[in-house]
Amino acid sequence: MRDVLVFAIVLFLLPTSIRRPFVGMLLFSWLAYMRPQDLCWGFARTMRMSFFVGVAMFLGWWAYERGRRRFAVWDVRTTLMAALGLFVTLSYATARHQNAYTNQYFVEFLKIIAIALFTSGQVDTRERLRMLLWTIAISLGFFGVKNGVLGILGGGAPILRGPGGMLEDNNDFALALVMNVPLLWYLGRQDGRRWVAQATQVAVLLSVVTIVLTHSRGAFLALTMTALWMAWRSGQLARAAAGLVLAGGAFLLFAPESVLERLASIGDSKESSANARLTAWATAMRMIGDNPLLGVGLRNFQPRYAEYSIVPLPPGGTTYVAHNSYLQIWAESGTIAFVVYVLLLGSVFVACRRVRLLARMRPALGWAGDYARMMEATTIGFLVGAFFLNRGHFDLIYHWIALVTSLSVIAVAEARTAPGAQRAGFARGVVVRWGRARSAFARTGAAVAVATRWR
């Protein structure tokens, strides 16, 4: 019955996805983050429904929106994403190992970039941004709530596997839920309805339970830093800090012993997985030193691990991934790609700061200020978690960065067209904060305007 239901929903919405590609974007996101096909047990489980939806929305844009809506909004972030795609391609073209496995991941990476760019073009209004954010938040929140309830009823049994797809590994699953916590919190607060805010707060609590039960130490550290960042940005630091202290006390009282033991091993470099991670990092540095420009190639880290391992491996010995997203990008795709990747992540905070400044000048843009804080917190979660996980090509972060571009464009457009907005005042306010050269230019323009008026 589940197979029929999921298949019917996708089949019913495919024609609409062609006529209205944004509907296809919502459907694609639901399939990517909630993974309803993995909740099925029959024919729907193995169908490539995301592929068909993706083709439908791209064809729909070509047939109905080309010339009226851009495929992508080109700014710093989308340009850096395209540049990263180029350097990863160049690196892979020179890689020693190219087979069905590596080819599959290369194509998947290009699809991730294409979807992210397409998102920046489709999400061009506040309402579209809100709808897509809620789609992602509910899709991931479903698993946070479900597993949190089951974990509590099961007495804290560990969660060793995610729902599937990019979330199959428990560490990846936990990282996605960490990134979803700010979405649930800020979207619930922005909705304005009390029951929605209360429901999202419960979802946050159960998602935290799920994250803890995955036993992912990297995700736990990411969750901690995300919570601290949200507290800092709350504007009510003392109250937020008190809440975090209470939450920490409750955690120590109610967390299962297995979770506490797992977290206690975070600083133990002799623990087996920690030792393997340190060895993988040292091996990655050897790869970087020997292949600084283009790296060893996408998904070539493990095939070439034995060649660079700091610990001699016997034939058939265990190889490891980089266990660090930054070293993964650097070792596999080279120094230029690594610099582009770091700039791409850093550009999120530049854009969010600009939006917060706009919101401070325009009270009507309070929603955008909250969204900017939300996007900063989510990115902080990824930055910390990515330090311990091999998630350099995580679908969600690229999609997220595209939504940062959308937020920036929408906020600027609304600020310029807000009722009663004075363009000169708006421009002057932004200029004062974004450089002396532009400020001087604004003053010159004002002087010319005054002189012309007195003539």
Side-chain angles (χ1 to χ4, degrees):
M1 191 64 187
R2 293 182 187 179
D3 295 77
V4 174
L5 178 61
V6 172
F7 178 73
I9 292 173
V10 173
L11 187 64
F12 177 76
L13 290 176
L14 267 181
T16 309
S17 300
I18 297 175
R19 188 66 186 85
R20 299 182 61 192
F22 179 69
V23 174
M25 175 63 64
L26 296 177
L27 181 59
F28 185 92
S29 300
W30 177 60
L31 292 171
Y33 301 121
M34 187 172 168
R35 305 291 303 174
Q37 60 272 38
D38 291 323
L39 299 175
C40 302
W41 300 100
F43 67 92
R45 190 178 183 87
T46 56
M47 288 188 66
R48 300 181 63 192
M49 287 185 281
S50 296
F51 172 78
F52 294 119
V53 173
V55 170
M57 65 183 184
F58 284 135
L59 287 177
W61 174 83
W62 181 266
Y64 294 103
E65 296 186 345
R66 182 168 53 98
R68 294 190 299 108
R69 175 174 281 115
R70 290 176 289 182
F71 180 89
V73 173
W74 292 105
D75 69 346
V76 173
R77 281 154 296 284
T78 51
T79 301
L80 286 171
M81 269 196 280
L84 182 62
L86 173 63
F87 288 117
V88 169
T89 300
L90 290 175
S91 170
Y92 186 63
T94 61
R96 180 181 300 178
H97 298 275
Q98 295 180 4
N99 49 45
Y101 171 79
T102 58
N103 289 340
Q104 175 188 348
Y105 276 96
F106 175 64
V107 172
E108 285 296 322
F109 171 72
L110 295 182
K111 285 164 56 179
I112 290 169
I113 296 297
I115 291 294
L117 295 176
F118 189 64
T119 298
S120 69
Q122 285 295 307
V123 183
D124 55 3
T125 66
R126 176 181 173 182
E127 184 60 21
R128 285 192 168 199
L129 178 60
R130 188 184 70 85
M131 290 173 66
L132 185 52
L133 288 173
W134 269 115
T135 299
I136 297 172
I138 293 174
S139 297
L140 293 172
F142 168 79
F143 290 107
V145 171
K146 173 189 172 185
N147 287 276
V149 170
L150 293 177
I152 293 172
L153 295 178
I159 299 171
L160 304 178
R161 183 180 179 277
M166 70 169 185
L167 305 178
E168 185 171 4
D169 181 82
N170 68 312
N171 293 293
D172 299 340
F173 177 47
L175 179 59
L177 293 186
V178 169
M179 295 175 68
N180 197 47
V181 164
L183 266 77
L184 291 169
W185 182 265
Y186 283 102
L187 288 177
R189 195 172 81 165
Q190 267 293 315
D191 185 86
R193 290 172 289 185
R194 185 177 179 182
W195 71 268
V196 173
Q198 292 173 340
T200 52
Q201 288 168 11
V202 171
V204 165
L205 176 62
L206 292 172
S207 295
V208 169
V209 172
T210 301
I211 293 165
V212 169
L213 292 181
T214 62
H215 288 207
S216 174
R217 293 168 295 186
F220 180 81
L221 292 174
L223 177 64
T224 301
M225 290 304 301
T226 300
L228 291 173
W229 186 274
M230 292 171 66
W232 180 46
R233 288 293 195 208
S234 67
Q236 299 175 328
L237 186 57
R239 183 178 176 183
L244 290 179
V245 170
L246 289 175
F251 171 75
L252 293 175
L253 284 174
F254 297 108
E257 190 65 30
S258 60
V259 171
L260 296 177
E261 290 178 359
R262 177 72 171 171
L263 295 178
S265 67
I266 287 178
D268 185 4
S269 61
K270 296 182 180 179
E271 190 262 340
S272 58
S273 62
N275 185 59
R277 181 173 283 109
L278 293 174
T279 301
W281 292 355
T283 301
M285 294 307 298
R286 282 191 173 187
M287 288 186 187
I288 293 166
D290 203 33
N291 307 273
L293 186 59
L294 293 176
V296 297
L298 184 69
R299 290 288 169 173
N300 271 241
F301 190 95
Q302 277 191 283
R304 301 191 64 179
Y305 185 91
E307 181 182 343
Y308 291 97
S309 176
I310 61 171
V311 178
L313 291 181
T318 302
T319 61
Y320 299 98
V321 295
H323 285 296
N324 181 297
S325 299
Y326 311 104
L327 292 179
Q328 175 195 1
I329 295 287
W330 200 353
E332 291 189 344
S333 301
T335 302
I336 300 176
F338 169 72
V339 171
V340 171
Y341 186 70
V342 172
L343 290 175
L344 178 61
L345 294 172
S347 69
V348 170
F349 298 94
V350 176
C352 289
R353 179 176 182 273
R354 184 187 183 196
V355 172
R356 286 190 290 103
L357 290 175
L358 290 177
R360 191 178 305 167
M361 290 186 292
R362 295 287 175 208
L365 288 176
W367 68 271
D370 265 356
Y371 278 18
R373 285 182 279 273
M374 172 184 71
M375 289 177 164
E376 286 179 333
T378 295
T379 307
I380 284 291
F382 176 80
L383 290 177
V384 176
F387 195 84
F388 304 96
L389 302 175
N390 209 60
R391 289 282 76 191
H393 305 303
F394 197 36
D395 308 37
L396 182 56
I397 189 61
Y398 292 99
H399 207 182
W400 192 246
I401 292 172
L403 291 176
V404 172
T405 286
S406 294
L407 172 64
S408 180
V409 171
I410 295 166
V412 170
E414 286 201 11
R416 286 174 175 166
T417 59
Q422 297 178 358
R423 289 186 171 225
F426 165 75
R428 187 164 55 253
V430 175
V431 163
V432 165
R433 293 167 174 79
W434 287 92
R436 295 181 179 177
R438 290 188 180 182
S439 181
F441 178 81
R443 288 195 298 270
T444 302
V448 171
V450 170
T452 303
R453 184 180 302 170
W454 280 99
R455 272 177 54 188

